Amino acid sequence: MAWSGMTSYDLGKPRQRMGLYRTVLHEGLHDDLPRYLNRDLLLQLWPVLRTLVGRSVRAVWEDAFPQLPSRPRAAA
């Protein structure tokens, strides 16, 4: 899935975890999604992750999964 750069990720490191999720969202095939993505973690990461993916990728994911917030929440 990663054509260049990192080929292994330490999921205990937030930046590497975010990098893996970004790569899977951009490059992953259908079977890769449940293999590499965790629903709860995706929901947690989405407010930042959505800013790291392209507009078309963001739109596809937010249209397919309404539980993903379409914009960052305002600070309380």
Side-chain angles (χ1 to χ4, degrees):
M1 189 171 5
W3 300 109
S4 64
M6 294 184 68
T7 57
S8 65
Y9 297 84
D10 180 346
L11 299 181
K13 295 182 178 181
R15 288 181 69 120
Q16 289 189 30
R17 185 172 50 239
M18 191 73 73
L20 172 67
Y21 271 61
R22 182 176 181 266
T23 298
V24 172
L25 293 176
H26 271 277
E27 307 294 336
L29 301 176
H30 186 268
D31 290 342
D32 295 326
L33 303 179
R35 181 176 180 190
Y36 292 105
L37 301 180
N38 172 278
R39 179 193 178 278
D40 293 334
L41 187 54
L42 179 61
L43 288 170
Q44 177 186 341
L45 297 176
W46 189 251
V48 173
L49 188 57
R50 72 181 303 278
T51 68
L52 302 175
V53 297
R55 194 175 303 182
S56 60
V57 171
R58 182 172 53 241
V60 166
W61 278 85
E62 289 177 350
D63 288 348
F65 300 98
Q67 61 272 37
L68 293 174
S70 59
R71 57 191 148 105
R73 295 180 191 165

